[in-house]
Amino acid sequence: MPCTVIAGAFWGDEGKGKIISYLALKDRLDVCVRTGSVNAAHTVWYQGKRHALHMVPAAFVYEKCRLLIGAGSNVHAAQFFKEVEETNVKNRIGVDYQASIIEEKHSTQDKTTAHLKSLGTTGWGVGPAIEERVRRTAKLAKDIPELQPYLTDVAPEVNHAIEASEKVLLEGTQGLMLSLFHGTYPYVTGRDTSASAICSEVGVGPTKVDDVLIVFKAFMTRVGTGTLPGELTKEEALKRGWFETAAGTGRERRSAPFNFELAKKAVMVNGATQAAVTKLDILYQGCKGARTYDELPREAEQFISEIEKRTGVPVLLIGTGPEALDIIDRRK
Ligand code: IMP
Ligand code: MG
């Protein structure tokens, strides 16, 4: 903290929502800004309830945290209102005037364009909405009457909070391997997903960031098409307990073992200073619900050490179960 960027290392679904919800509660975050768009679902389990958030920042669980959606984001208005209601954050969420809007036609285009279908997009229409923005014909948040009560200028809000030494978190979505620039093109999303791009979407300069926290899952998953090194069969994934379905679209996720080369690349391109590893309890028995490092079985500790050694960043947070507080926190 004070200003931390959270970025995903692989193809999204690393458990960023869980890590953010933990930090919100534990560190009493002052501000959390979500980037990207509705295609990404961040799952938060809190007080026995599951939330799959496509619009509202995952830090909503801490009731004093100011929640923002950055200028570079694409807002799906109907989904935004639905989640604001579900999470009861009406009085503390803001949307940048210049965030662009995803309309129904974008989703239709996404689902009916053969080329986009072949990439296995989520179908929310994010690619077509970004195309429209680049053509400079997009509707912006300020053009939508129902969004008026929420409108704000996110960049000054966040920069003032940083100047005042408040705890600010910039919430990245998806992962580096889905980056339009650094990922597995053309099987990527429509934007850069790296830490620099997250800052850019919010309007925070690189000199204002203190930490970049890269989030790894203990194994890799991918939805949609495109390469996945070391991919397992569905049968093998089921046997290992790695089989997942997507929080947003319900599609089956493909899975593969953790890849150290990709992890190194993600650390480098994001300029990560620290890491989190989620779902360690799925990889090694005996980790579930652990809250201290000493409780971990030896093999699990060795895996964490190997990640640190090979990527060069300390693993400070380790997820050991779905709830926000199922975490081993190795920070001072
Ligand atoms: P789009 O972002 O909907 O255009 O989809 C492009 C590719 O990114 C597809 O392979 C999607 O499955 C993938 N994708 C987009 N958002 C997410 C996410 O939040 N988690 C995982 N995969 C995603
Ligand atoms: Mg997700």
Side-chain angles (χ1 to χ4, degrees):
M1 280 308 149
C3 181
T4 299
V5 179
I6 297 234
F10 300 132
W11 286 272
D13 308 315
E14 299 92 355
K16 291 178 292 295
K18 180 219 167 67
I19 297 295
I20 294 161
S21 59
Y22 171 79
L23 291 172
L25 293 163
K26 181 72 184 178
D27 294 5
R28 298 169 172 264
L29 289 184
D30 294 296
V31 180
C32 180
V33 196
R34 183 167 161 141
T35 58
S37 192
V38 68
N39 44 2
H42 284 181
T43 303
V44 173
W45 274 97
Y46 186 53
Q47 295 178 332
K49 236 183 121 187
R50 177 180 177 276
H51 303 267
L53 301 165
H54 294 261
M55 279 278 115
V56 167
F60 85 92
V61 292
Y62 177 53
E63 71 283 354
K64 289 191 182 139
C65 186
R66 170 76 166 147
L67 308 172
L68 295 168
I69 296 179
S73 306
N74 285 273
V75 174
H76 189 290
Q79 186 68 22
F80 172 80
F81 294 123
K82 188 173 149 212
E83 291 181 14
V84 166
E85 180 90 354
E86 175 195 322
T87 55
N88 193 22
V89 295
K90 200 170 172 185
N91 298 323
R92 57 186 173 104
I93 190 163
V95 177
D96 194 280
Y97 296 98
Q98 290 226 103
S100 55
I101 298 293
I102 300 195
E103 299 171 70
E104 204 46 49
K105 65 176 181 190
H106 298 133
S107 171
T108 306
Q109 259 175 283
D110 207 359
K111 289 178 188 154
T112 55
T113 306
H115 164 67
L116 293 174
K117 274 168 69 179
S118 75
L119 302 180
T121 69
T122 62
W124 278 96
V126 178
I130 292 172
E131 278 180 47
E132 176 118 50
R133 189 171 193 167
V134 174
R135 274 201 304 273
R136 278 138 295 174
T137 50
K139 256 197 195 120
L140 300 182
K142 66 177 182 198
D143 304 323
I144 307 293
E146 296 78 16
L147 283 174
Q148 298 303 311
Y150 301 98
L151 296 183
T152 184
D153 207 345
V154 167
E157 255 206 65
V158 177
N159 281 283
H160 291 151
I162 294 171
E163 268 161 45
S165 299
E166 290 183 13
K167 292 174 188 156
V168 175
L169 193 146
L170 309 185
E171 175 174 355
T173 46
Q174 308 161 314
L176 190 75
M177 302 308 151
L178 285 175
S179 163
L180 181 63
F181 302 157
H182 306 287
T184 52
Y185 191 91
Y187 302 99
V188 293
T189 192
R191 58 190 270 272
D192 180 19
T193 54
S194 71
S196 315
I198 295 164
C199 294
S200 157
E201 285 189 19
V202 175
V204 167
T207 54
K208 305 292 177 189
V209 172
D210 299 282
D211 276 301
V212 175
L213 171 55
I214 187 99
V215 182
F216 299 118
K217 186 155 64 182
F219 52 95
M220 306 192 299
T221 56
R222 174 164 205 174
V223 283
T225 45
T227 174
L228 177 61
E231 181 169 2
L232 305 179
T233 60
K234 180 176 172 184
E235 195 184 22
E236 180 61 24
L238 281 164
K239 208 166 84 195
R240 296 189 189 191
W242 295 6
F243 181 75
E244 299 178 348
T245 51
T249 56
R251 290 184 293 176
E252 295 187 353
R253 290 183 184 154
R254 300 149 60 199
S255 61
F258 191 93
N259 184 301
F260 289 95
E261 291 311 309
L262 294 180
K264 270 163 72 174
K265 176 177 173 179
V267 164
M268 176 184 72
V269 175
N270 284 290
T273 56
Q274 46 185 241
V277 174
T278 63
K279 294 208 165 184
L280 193 65
D281 56 305
I282 304 291
L283 218 58
Y284 299 104
Q285 281 189 350
C287 297
K288 184 137 186 101
R291 300 276 171 103
T292 62
Y293 196 66
D294 298 341
E295 287 170 67
L296 293 180
R298 237 178 85 86
E299 319 172 86
E301 283 192 11
Q302 277 167 351
F303 177 61
I304 297 294
S305 301
E306 191 177 0
I307 294 175
E308 293 184 320
K309 210 169 76 208
R310 293 178 65 173
T311 65
V313 286
V315 175
L316 298 183
L317 299 170
I318 300 170
T320 56
E323 273 276 335
L325 300 174
D326 287 334
I327 286 236
I328 296 171
D329 187 343
R330 303 169 78 202
R331 300 174 301 166
K332 280 193 279 305

